[in-house]
Amino acid sequence: MMVPVRCFTCGNVVGEHWEEFDTRAKEGEEDPQEVLDELGVERYCCRRMLVSHTDLVDVVSPYQ
Amino acid sequence: MAPAYDVEFVEREERKARFLVRGVTPAFANGIRRAMVADVPTMAIDEVRFIENSSVMFDEQIALRMGLIPLTTPPEGEFVEGDTVTLAIDVEGPGTAYSGDFVSSDELVKPADLNVPIIDLKDGQRLEAEADAAMDRGKSHARHQGGVAVGYRHLQRVEVVGDRDQFEDEEPHIVRGVIEDDGELVPTSEFDHDLTVRYPGKEVRIEDVPNAFVFHVETDGSFSVEELVTRAIDSLEQRARELEDAVQL
């Protein structure tokens, strides 16, 4: 639903980078690898948190 | 009685650092690591009273997200384990509730990162809650863990022992961590972790430097790396003293 606040594996806070990553790499045209490097999300455990995430709030909200 | 430790920083930032410690045993190095992960108390939200939550997520899901937000931890001595601070949040949709929307009752305890989304609110949805942050240790729950990805490696010494055979295959020689070359500390990332880049055509030998460890420490923002390490060592010392008192005749 919402982005996890922290990386499941190492506990680093990744939630704060979601919106920038989303606009620049997912919706934008930039290379996800470069965006993650710039955001300082280094380890692959933290990177997969953002790369594999899909926001579902908009999908479930009509069924409240 | 206390041996002198030699500490040298390789990389130093507010939330991330790498430093070399000489003259410690592997057991002591691991003791420091474990203390950083599990024994340094930090503030985190651990009880939430919801006044209104009409968002798409359940109260307990939101409470979990709030708990994981790092809060700044007050200087030592200001708070003890068990003390609480109240943070209030009131956000109305459409919009997103962020960790920065929390209003704290104490200046010393506030969200360390202001941009963590808590919940996306649609038209007419509202989130109003009061949260109590408490001081506890990483032992009891991961949200109280101040150190992130804390680890150490042996310092490695690289020695050139001769030239490589003329017709030998050029295979990469991967090493990770920090190497010592004639007393100079070089992070392996400088030469792409490949010794054949730094010493082309040379035969090299690597050995661990005894009792020298390179720590890699990151924090979640609760405090600086320095603070985390000194508090971890204080907690080790305190526990050692407790043990000493307990076994005294």
mmCIF file of all heavy atoms in Angstrom, chain A residues 4-48:
data_model
loop_
_atom_site.group_PDB
_atom_site.id
_atom_site.type_symbol
_atom_site.label_atom_id
_atom_site.label_comp_id
_atom_site.label_asym_id
_atom_site.label_seq_id
_atom_site.Cartn_x
_atom_site.Cartn_y
_atom_site.Cartn_z
ATOM 1 N N PRO A 4 7.201 1.113 2.462
ATOM 2 C CA PRO A 4 7.723 0.792 3.792
ATOM 3 C C PRO A 4 8.619 1.939 4.288
ATOM 4 O O PRO A 4 9.337 2.548 3.496
ATOM 5 C CB PRO A 4 8.550 -0.471 3.555
ATOM 6 C CG PRO A 4 7.973 -1.076 2.325
ATOM 7 C CD PRO A 4 7.519 0.071 1.485
ATOM 8 N N VAL A 5 8.516 2.231 5.572
ATOM 9 C CA VAL A 5 9.313 3.330 6.124
ATOM 10 C C VAL A 5 10.799 2.953 6.097
ATOM 11 O O VAL A 5 11.640 3.744 5.720
ATOM 12 C CB VAL A 5 8.877 3.639 7.570
ATOM 13 C CG1 VAL A 5 9.747 4.722 8.182
ATOM 14 C CG2 VAL A 5 7.425 4.058 7.594
ATOM 15 N N ARG A 6 11.093 1.713 6.484
ATOM 16 C CA ARG A 6 12.490 1.287 6.556
ATOM 17 C C ARG A 6 12.728 0.063 5.689
ATOM 18 O O ARG A 6 11.805 -0.670 5.367
ATOM 19 C CB ARG A 6 12.844 0.917 7.994
ATOM 20 C CG ARG A 6 12.865 2.110 8.904
ATOM 21 C CD ARG A 6 13.387 1.684 10.241
ATOM 22 N NE ARG A 6 13.278 2.760 11.188
ATOM 23 C CZ ARG A 6 14.256 3.128 12.003
ATOM 24 N NH1 ARG A 6 15.403 2.485 11.987
ATOM 25 N NH2 ARG A 6 14.086 4.102 12.855
ATOM 26 N N CYS A 7 13.989 -0.146 5.386
ATOM 27 C CA CYS A 7 14.380 -1.342 4.663
ATOM 28 C C CYS A 7 14.163 -2.546 5.578
ATOM 29 O O CYS A 7 14.565 -2.522 6.737
ATOM 30 C CB CYS A 7 15.842 -1.225 4.259
ATOM 31 S SG CYS A 7 16.540 -2.759 3.678
ATOM 32 N N PHE A 8 13.542 -3.589 5.059
ATOM 33 C CA PHE A 8 13.247 -4.770 5.873
ATOM 34 C C PHE A 8 14.520 -5.422 6.397
ATOM 35 O O PHE A 8 14.549 -5.999 7.471
ATOM 36 C CB PHE A 8 12.499 -5.821 5.049
ATOM 37 C CG PHE A 8 11.117 -5.396 4.644
ATOM 38 C CD1 PHE A 8 10.546 -5.894 3.486
ATOM 39 C CD2 PHE A 8 10.380 -4.523 5.423
ATOM 40 C CE1 PHE A 8 9.269 -5.521 3.100
ATOM 41 C CE2 PHE A 8 9.112 -4.139 5.055
ATOM 42 C CZ PHE A 8 8.558 -4.646 3.879
ATOM 43 N N THR A 9 15.570 -5.381 5.597
ATOM 44 C CA THR A 9 16.776 -6.107 5.946
ATOM 45 C C THR A 9 17.691 -5.334 6.889
ATOM 46 O O THR A 9 18.095 -5.859 7.914
ATOM 47 C CB THR A 9 17.539 -6.494 4.667
ATOM 48 O OG1 THR A 9 16.657 -7.217 3.830
ATOM 49 C CG2 THR A 9 18.740 -7.340 4.986
ATOM 50 N N CYS A 10 18.031 -4.100 6.522
ATOM 51 C CA CYS A 10 19.049 -3.410 7.324
ATOM 52 C C CYS A 10 18.479 -2.331 8.237
ATOM 53 O O CYS A 10 19.163 -1.876 9.136
ATOM 54 C CB CYS A 10 20.138 -2.833 6.425
ATOM 55 S SG CYS A 10 19.611 -1.455 5.415
ATOM 56 N N GLY A 11 17.258 -1.900 8.017
ATOM 57 C CA GLY A 11 16.680 -0.907 8.906
ATOM 58 C C GLY A 11 16.949 0.535 8.520
ATOM 59 O O GLY A 11 16.604 1.454 9.259
ATOM 60 N N ASN A 12 17.551 0.731 7.359
ATOM 61 C CA ASN A 12 17.800 2.092 6.881
ATOM 62 C C ASN A 12 16.463 2.742 6.493
ATOM 63 O O ASN A 12 15.581 2.064 5.985
ATOM 64 C CB ASN A 12 18.717 1.996 5.660
ATOM 65 C CG ASN A 12 19.251 3.330 5.241
ATOM 66 O OD1 ASN A 12 19.316 4.265 6.043
ATOM 67 N ND2 ASN A 12 19.633 3.431 3.986
ATOM 68 N N VAL A 13 16.321 4.046 6.730
ATOM 69 C CA VAL A 13 15.060 4.713 6.386
ATOM 70 C C VAL A 13 15.025 4.966 4.878
ATOM 71 O O VAL A 13 15.838 5.725 4.356
ATOM 72 C CB VAL A 13 14.917 6.036 7.164
ATOM 73 C CG1 VAL A 13 13.606 6.708 6.830
ATOM 74 C CG2 VAL A 13 15.002 5.779 8.654
ATOM 75 N N VAL A 14 14.109 4.311 4.173
ATOM 76 C CA VAL A 14 14.026 4.491 2.714
ATOM 77 C C VAL A 14 12.765 5.249 2.305
ATOM 78 O O VAL A 14 12.698 5.771 1.197
ATOM 79 C CB VAL A 14 14.071 3.135 1.953
ATOM 80 C CG1 VAL A 14 15.427 2.490 2.080
ATOM 81 C CG2 VAL A 14 12.978 2.198 2.409
ATOM 82 N N GLY A 15 11.776 5.306 3.204
ATOM 83 C CA GLY A 15 10.496 5.933 2.860
ATOM 84 C C GLY A 15 10.627 7.357 2.387
ATOM 85 O O GLY A 15 9.909 7.786 1.482
ATOM 86 N N GLU A 16 11.566 8.089 2.967
ATOM 87 C CA GLU A 16 11.698 9.509 2.628
ATOM 88 C C GLU A 16 12.140 9.729 1.185
ATOM 89 O O GLU A 16 11.980 10.806 0.644
ATOM 90 C CB GLU A 16 12.666 10.197 3.589
ATOM 91 C CG GLU A 16 14.019 9.526 3.591
ATOM 92 C CD GLU A 16 15.087 10.323 4.328
ATOM 93 O OE1 GLU A 16 14.884 11.510 4.554
ATOM 94 O OE2 GLU A 16 16.116 9.719 4.652
ATOM 95 N N HIS A 17 12.740 8.714 0.559
ATOM 96 C CA HIS A 17 13.219 8.889 -0.812
ATOM 97 C C HIS A 17 12.177 8.489 -1.848
ATOM 98 O O HIS A 17 12.395 8.670 -3.032
ATOM 99 C CB HIS A 17 14.479 8.046 -1.046
ATOM 100 C CG HIS A 17 15.590 8.375 -0.100
ATOM 101 N ND1 HIS A 17 16.107 9.635 -0.002
ATOM 102 C CD2 HIS A 17 16.268 7.611 0.782
ATOM 103 C CE1 HIS A 17 17.064 9.630 0.911
ATOM 104 N NE2 HIS A 17 17.178 8.412 1.405
ATOM 105 N N TRP A 18 11.070 7.903 -1.384
ATOM 106 C CA TRP A 18 10.118 7.338 -2.328
ATOM 107 C C TRP A 18 9.591 8.343 -3.340
ATOM 108 O O TRP A 18 9.590 8.102 -4.542
ATOM 109 C CB TRP A 18 8.960 6.662 -1.584
ATOM 110 C CG TRP A 18 7.819 6.369 -2.496
ATOM 111 C CD1 TRP A 18 6.619 6.996 -2.534
ATOM 112 C CD2 TRP A 18 7.814 5.403 -3.562
ATOM 113 N NE1 TRP A 18 5.856 6.475 -3.535
ATOM 114 C CE2 TRP A 18 6.555 5.499 -4.180
ATOM 115 C CE3 TRP A 18 8.735 4.477 -4.032
ATOM 116 C CZ2 TRP A 18 6.197 4.703 -5.261
ATOM 117 C CZ3 TRP A 18 8.389 3.680 -5.107
ATOM 118 C CH2 TRP A 18 7.132 3.788 -5.710
ATOM 119 N N GLU A 19 9.115 9.495 -2.843
ATOM 120 C CA GLU A 19 8.450 10.430 -3.748
ATOM 121 C C GLU A 19 9.382 10.935 -4.838
ATOM 122 O O GLU A 19 9.003 11.026 -5.999
ATOM 123 C CB GLU A 19 7.839 11.575 -2.947
ATOM 124 C CG GLU A 19 6.671 11.018 -2.147
ATOM 125 C CD GLU A 19 5.852 12.063 -1.450
ATOM 126 O OE1 GLU A 19 6.279 13.219 -1.373
ATOM 127 O OE2 GLU A 19 4.763 11.696 -0.969
ATOM 128 N N GLU A 20 10.619 11.217 -4.441
ATOM 129 C CA GLU A 20 11.569 11.675 -5.452
ATOM 130 C C GLU A 20 11.880 10.557 -6.447
ATOM 131 O O GLU A 20 11.929 10.766 -7.656
ATOM 132 C CB GLU A 20 12.856 12.167 -4.786
ATOM 133 C CG GLU A 20 13.754 12.848 -5.795
ATOM 134 C CD GLU A 20 14.965 13.520 -5.177
ATOM 135 O OE1 GLU A 20 14.997 13.692 -3.949
ATOM 136 O OE2 GLU A 20 15.875 13.843 -5.951
ATOM 137 N N PHE A 21 12.070 9.354 -5.922
ATOM 138 C CA PHE A 21 12.358 8.218 -6.803
ATOM 139 C C PHE A 21 11.204 7.969 -7.761
ATOM 140 O O PHE A 21 11.396 7.722 -8.957
ATOM 141 C CB PHE A 21 12.619 6.966 -5.950
ATOM 142 C CG PHE A 21 12.892 5.734 -6.761
ATOM 143 C CD1 PHE A 21 14.112 5.570 -7.401
ATOM 144 C CD2 PHE A 21 11.934 4.741 -6.897
ATOM 145 C CE1 PHE A 21 14.370 4.445 -8.164
ATOM 146 C CE2 PHE A 21 12.191 3.612 -7.655
ATOM 147 C CZ PHE A 21 13.404 3.466 -8.288
ATOM 148 N N ASP A 22 9.989 8.079 -7.231
ATOM 149 C CA ASP A 22 8.799 7.831 -8.036
ATOM 150 C C ASP A 22 8.694 8.832 -9.187
ATOM 151 O O ASP A 22 8.495 8.446 -10.338
ATOM 152 C CB ASP A 22 7.563 7.919 -7.128
ATOM 153 C CG ASP A 22 6.310 7.447 -7.838
ATOM 154 O OD1 ASP A 22 6.396 6.426 -8.534
ATOM 155 O OD2 ASP A 22 5.260 8.097 -7.693
ATOM 156 N N THR A 23 8.846 10.113 -8.857
ATOM 157 C CA THR A 23 8.683 11.120 -9.920
ATOM 158 C C THR A 23 9.827 11.064 -10.925
ATOM 159 O O THR A 23 9.614 11.240 -12.109
ATOM 160 C CB THR A 23 8.585 12.546 -9.336
ATOM 161 O OG1 THR A 23 9.625 12.700 -8.377
ATOM 162 C CG2 THR A 23 7.255 12.779 -8.669
ATOM 163 N N ARG A 24 11.038 10.790 -10.433
ATOM 164 C CA ARG A 24 12.175 10.839 -11.359
ATOM 165 C C ARG A 24 12.372 9.560 -12.159
ATOM 166 O O ARG A 24 12.657 9.598 -13.350
ATOM 167 C CB ARG A 24 13.448 11.157 -10.587
ATOM 168 C CG ARG A 24 13.499 12.601 -10.151
ATOM 169 C CD ARG A 24 14.707 12.875 -9.308
ATOM 170 N NE ARG A 24 15.955 12.625 -10.000
ATOM 171 C CZ ARG A 24 17.152 12.702 -9.436
ATOM 172 N NH1 ARG A 24 17.243 13.021 -8.163
ATOM 173 N NH2 ARG A 24 18.241 12.458 -10.120
ATOM 174 N N ALA A 25 12.226 8.407 -11.505
ATOM 175 C CA ALA A 25 12.562 7.158 -12.189
ATOM 176 C C ALA A 25 11.359 6.360 -12.651
ATOM 177 O O ALA A 25 11.358 5.779 -13.726
ATOM 178 C CB ALA A 25 13.442 6.306 -11.291
ATOM 179 N N LYS A 26 10.311 6.310 -11.807
ATOM 180 C CA LYS A 26 9.172 5.467 -12.191
ATOM 181 C C LYS A 26 8.297 6.176 -13.209
ATOM 182 O O LYS A 26 7.939 5.628 -14.238
ATOM 183 C CB LYS A 26 8.359 5.088 -10.961
ATOM 184 C CG LYS A 26 9.132 4.154 -10.049
ATOM 185 C CD LYS A 26 8.272 3.021 -9.543
ATOM 186 C CE LYS A 26 9.169 1.974 -8.924
ATOM 187 N NZ LYS A 26 8.459 0.801 -8.441
ATOM 188 N N GLU A 27 7.928 7.446 -12.866
ATOM 189 C CA GLU A 27 7.099 8.188 -13.802
ATOM 190 C C GLU A 27 7.950 8.975 -14.780
ATOM 191 O O GLU A 27 7.575 9.170 -15.917
ATOM 192 C CB GLU A 27 6.137 9.096 -13.043
ATOM 193 C CG GLU A 27 4.916 8.317 -12.609
ATOM 194 C CD GLU A 27 4.239 8.898 -11.388
ATOM 195 O OE1 GLU A 27 4.357 10.110 -11.142
ATOM 196 O OE2 GLU A 27 3.580 8.115 -10.686
ATOM 197 N N GLY A 28 9.093 9.410 -14.312
ATOM 198 C CA GLY A 28 9.999 10.160 -15.177
ATOM 199 C C GLY A 28 10.801 9.226 -16.054
ATOM 200 O O GLY A 28 10.563 8.026 -16.116
ATOM 201 N N GLU A 29 11.788 9.804 -16.712
ATOM 202 C CA GLU A 29 12.539 9.048 -17.708
ATOM 203 C C GLU A 29 13.933 8.658 -17.223
ATOM 204 O O GLU A 29 14.671 8.002 -17.937
ATOM 205 C CB GLU A 29 12.691 9.917 -18.980
ATOM 206 C CG GLU A 29 11.370 10.216 -19.674
ATOM 207 C CD GLU A 29 10.804 8.992 -20.366
ATOM 208 O OE1 GLU A 29 11.444 8.475 -21.287
ATOM 209 O OE2 GLU A 29 9.708 8.539 -19.957
ATOM 210 N N GLU A 30 14.279 9.089 -16.019
ATOM 211 C CA GLU A 30 15.667 8.889 -15.587
ATOM 212 C C GLU A 30 15.970 7.421 -15.288
ATOM 213 O O GLU A 30 15.078 6.633 -15.004
ATOM 214 C CB GLU A 30 15.942 9.738 -14.347
ATOM 215 C CG GLU A 30 16.148 11.195 -14.696
ATOM 216 C CD GLU A 30 16.479 12.018 -13.468
ATOM 217 O OE1 GLU A 30 17.571 11.856 -12.925
ATOM 218 O OE2 GLU A 30 15.611 12.806 -13.054
ATOM 219 N N ASP A 31 17.238 7.111 -15.320
ATOM 220 C CA ASP A 31 17.698 5.758 -15.039
ATOM 221 C C ASP A 31 17.587 5.484 -13.538
ATOM 222 O O ASP A 31 18.180 6.211 -12.734
ATOM 223 C CB ASP A 31 19.166 5.658 -15.496
ATOM 224 C CG ASP A 31 19.726 4.262 -15.269
ATOM 225 O OD1 ASP A 31 18.922 3.352 -14.987
ATOM 226 O OD2 ASP A 31 20.946 4.091 -15.370
ATOM 227 N N PRO A 32 16.818 4.452 -13.150
ATOM 228 C CA PRO A 32 16.639 4.182 -11.717
ATOM 229 C C PRO A 32 17.966 4.020 -10.974
ATOM 230 O O PRO A 32 18.102 4.448 -9.831
ATOM 231 C CB PRO A 32 15.855 2.869 -11.698
ATOM 232 C CG PRO A 32 15.215 2.760 -13.021
ATOM 233 C CD PRO A 32 16.063 3.514 -13.983
ATOM 234 N N GLN A 33 18.942 3.417 -11.630
ATOM 235 C CA GLN A 33 20.234 3.196 -10.979
ATOM 236 C C GLN A 33 20.880 4.521 -10.568
ATOM 237 O O GLN A 33 21.351 4.679 -9.445
ATOM 238 C CB GLN A 33 21.161 2.440 -11.928
ATOM 239 C CG GLN A 33 22.497 2.125 -11.294
ATOM 240 C CD GLN A 33 23.470 1.475 -12.260
ATOM 241 O OE1 GLN A 33 23.091 1.071 -13.356
ATOM 242 N NE2 GLN A 33 24.709 1.375 -11.857
ATOM 243 N N GLU A 34 20.851 5.480 -11.493
ATOM 244 C CA GLU A 34 21.475 6.770 -11.189
ATOM 245 C C GLU A 34 20.708 7.518 -10.111
ATOM 246 O O GLU A 34 21.297 8.156 -9.240
ATOM 247 C CB GLU A 34 21.543 7.623 -12.463
ATOM 248 C CG GLU A 34 22.709 7.235 -13.340
ATOM 249 C CD GLU A 34 22.585 7.766 -14.755
ATOM 250 O OE1 GLU A 34 21.843 8.752 -14.947
ATOM 251 O OE2 GLU A 34 23.213 7.181 -15.657
ATOM 252 N N VAL A 35 19.366 7.426 -10.176
ATOM 253 C CA VAL A 35 18.560 8.126 -9.179
ATOM 254 C C VAL A 35 18.858 7.565 -7.788
ATOM 255 O O VAL A 35 19.068 8.317 -6.837
ATOM 256 C CB VAL A 35 17.059 8.010 -9.506
ATOM 257 C CG1 VAL A 35 16.225 8.677 -8.431
ATOM 258 C CG2 VAL A 35 16.754 8.626 -10.859
ATOM 259 N N LEU A 36 18.904 6.236 -7.677
ATOM 260 C CA LEU A 36 19.178 5.621 -6.378
ATOM 261 C C LEU A 36 20.560 6.001 -5.866
ATOM 262 O O LEU A 36 20.746 6.259 -4.680
ATOM 263 C CB LEU A 36 19.048 4.100 -6.479
ATOM 264 C CG LEU A 36 17.621 3.569 -6.597
ATOM 265 C CD1 LEU A 36 17.637 2.097 -6.943
ATOM 266 C CD2 LEU A 36 16.838 3.785 -5.323
ATOM 267 N N ASP A 37 21.540 6.032 -6.765
ATOM 268 C CA ASP A 37 22.886 6.438 -6.360
ATOM 269 C C ASP A 37 22.884 7.864 -5.829
ATOM 270 O O ASP A 37 23.507 8.169 -4.819
ATOM 271 C CB ASP A 37 23.866 6.325 -7.541
ATOM 272 C CG ASP A 37 24.243 4.883 -7.845
ATOM 273 O OD1 ASP A 37 24.046 4.033 -6.950
ATOM 274 O OD2 ASP A 37 24.716 4.614 -8.962
ATOM 275 N N GLU A 38 22.162 8.735 -6.525
ATOM 276 C CA GLU A 38 22.121 10.132 -6.109
ATOM 277 C C GLU A 38 21.405 10.306 -4.775
ATOM 278 O O GLU A 38 21.773 11.150 -3.974
ATOM 279 C CB GLU A 38 21.380 10.967 -7.159
ATOM 280 C CG GLU A 38 22.327 11.640 -8.138
ATOM 281 C CD GLU A 38 21.545 12.287 -9.253
ATOM 282 O OE1 GLU A 38 20.629 13.066 -8.958
ATOM 283 O OE2 GLU A 38 21.865 11.980 -10.425
ATOM 284 N N LEU A 39 20.377 9.487 -4.556
ATOM 285 C CA LEU A 39 19.632 9.583 -3.307
ATOM 286 C C LEU A 39 20.421 9.010 -2.137
ATOM 287 O O LEU A 39 20.034 9.156 -0.988
ATOM 288 C CB LEU A 39 18.291 8.849 -3.425
ATOM 289 C CG LEU A 39 17.253 9.470 -4.348
ATOM 290 C CD1 LEU A 39 16.067 8.544 -4.508
ATOM 291 C CD2 LEU A 39 16.786 10.804 -3.811
ATOM 292 N N GLY A 40 21.497 8.311 -2.433
ATOM 293 C CA GLY A 40 22.298 7.723 -1.355
ATOM 294 C C GLY A 40 21.756 6.395 -0.860
ATOM 295 O O GLY A 40 22.062 5.967 0.240
ATOM 296 N N VAL A 41 20.916 5.758 -1.675
ATOM 297 C CA VAL A 41 20.430 4.423 -1.319
ATOM 298 C C VAL A 41 21.420 3.436 -1.951
ATOM 299 O O VAL A 41 21.338 3.145 -3.139
ATOM 300 C CB VAL A 41 18.996 4.189 -1.846
ATOM 301 C CG1 VAL A 41 18.483 2.826 -1.430
ATOM 302 C CG2 VAL A 41 18.076 5.272 -1.336
ATOM 303 N N GLU A 42 22.362 2.965 -1.136
ATOM 304 C CA GLU A 42 23.510 2.242 -1.690
ATOM 305 C C GLU A 42 23.330 0.738 -1.766
ATOM 306 O O GLU A 42 23.622 0.114 -2.762
ATOM 307 C CB GLU A 42 24.733 2.507 -0.812
ATOM 308 C CG GLU A 42 25.495 3.745 -1.213
ATOM 309 C CD GLU A 42 26.591 4.036 -0.220
ATOM 310 O OE1 GLU A 42 27.027 3.111 0.494
ATOM 311 O OE2 GLU A 42 27.002 5.202 -0.155
ATOM 312 N N ARG A 43 22.888 0.177 -0.670
ATOM 313 C CA ARG A 43 22.844 -1.284 -0.586
ATOM 314 C C ARG A 43 21.686 -1.855 -1.390
ATOM 315 O O ARG A 43 20.637 -1.238 -1.494
ATOM 316 C CB ARG A 43 22.690 -1.710 0.879
ATOM 317 C CG ARG A 43 23.945 -1.560 1.680
ATOM 318 C CD ARG A 43 23.699 -1.987 3.110
ATOM 319 N NE ARG A 43 22.828 -1.054 3.806
ATOM 320 C CZ ARG A 43 23.247 0.041 4.395
ATOM 321 N NH1 ARG A 43 24.511 0.342 4.377
ATOM 322 N NH2 ARG A 43 22.410 0.842 5.000
ATOM 323 N N TYR A 44 21.879 -3.066 -1.893
ATOM 324 C CA TYR A 44 20.809 -3.623 -2.719
ATOM 325 C C TYR A 44 19.579 -4.001 -1.931
ATOM 326 O O TYR A 44 18.494 -4.077 -2.481
ATOM 327 C CB TYR A 44 21.301 -4.763 -3.621
ATOM 328 C CG TYR A 44 22.008 -5.929 -2.988
ATOM 329 C CD1 TYR A 44 21.357 -6.775 -2.107
ATOM 330 C CD2 TYR A 44 23.326 -6.222 -3.330
ATOM 331 C CE1 TYR A 44 22.004 -7.860 -1.566
ATOM 332 C CE2 TYR A 44 23.978 -7.310 -2.803
ATOM 333 C CZ TYR A 44 23.325 -8.134 -1.900
ATOM 334 O OH TYR A 44 23.953 -9.204 -1.381
ATOM 335 N N CYS A 45 19.729 -4.194 -0.612
ATOM 336 C CA CYS A 45 18.535 -4.485 0.181
ATOM 337 C C CYS A 45 17.621 -3.263 0.220
ATOM 338 O O CYS A 45 16.392 -3.388 0.155
ATOM 339 C CB CYS A 45 18.913 -4.936 1.594
ATOM 340 S SG CYS A 45 19.863 -3.758 2.542
ATOM 341 N N CYS A 46 18.214 -2.074 0.321
ATOM 342 C CA CYS A 46 17.411 -0.849 0.378
ATOM 343 C C CYS A 46 16.886 -0.489 -1.016
ATOM 344 O O CYS A 46 15.786 0.026 -1.157
ATOM 345 C CB CYS A 46 18.243 0.318 0.895
ATOM 346 S SG CYS A 46 19.112 -0.003 2.418
ATOM 347 N N ARG A 47 17.695 -0.783 -2.028
ATOM 348 C CA ARG A 47 17.300 -0.443 -3.397
ATOM 349 C C ARG A 47 16.062 -1.221 -3.825
ATOM 350 O O ARG A 47 15.148 -0.657 -4.421
ATOM 351 C CB ARG A 47 18.447 -0.760 -4.362
ATOM 352 C CG ARG A 47 19.521 0.290 -4.346
ATOM 353 C CD ARG A 47 20.754 -0.240 -4.982
ATOM 354 N NE ARG A 47 21.705 0.828 -5.218
ATOM 355 C CZ ARG A 47 21.904 1.418 -6.394
ATOM 356 N NH1 ARG A 47 21.257 1.009 -7.459
ATOM 357 N NH2 ARG A 47 22.760 2.386 -6.504
ATOM 358 N N ARG A 48 16.037 -2.513 -3.456
ATOM 359 C CA ARG A 48 14.869 -3.295 -3.872
ATOM 360 C C ARG A 48 13.586 -2.804 -3.216
ATOM 361 O O ARG A 48 12.497 -2.993 -3.748
ATOM 362 C CB ARG A 48 15.072 -4.799 -3.593
ATOM 363 C CG ARG A 48 15.323 -5.184 -2.140
ATOM 364 C CD ARG A 48 14.097 -5.631 -1.417
ATOM 365 N NE ARG A 48 14.265 -5.436 0.017
ATOM 366 C CZ ARG A 48 14.519 -6.376 0.908
ATOM 367 N NH1 ARG A 48 14.609 -7.612 0.550
ATOM 368 N NH2 ARG A 48 14.652 -6.092 2.181
#
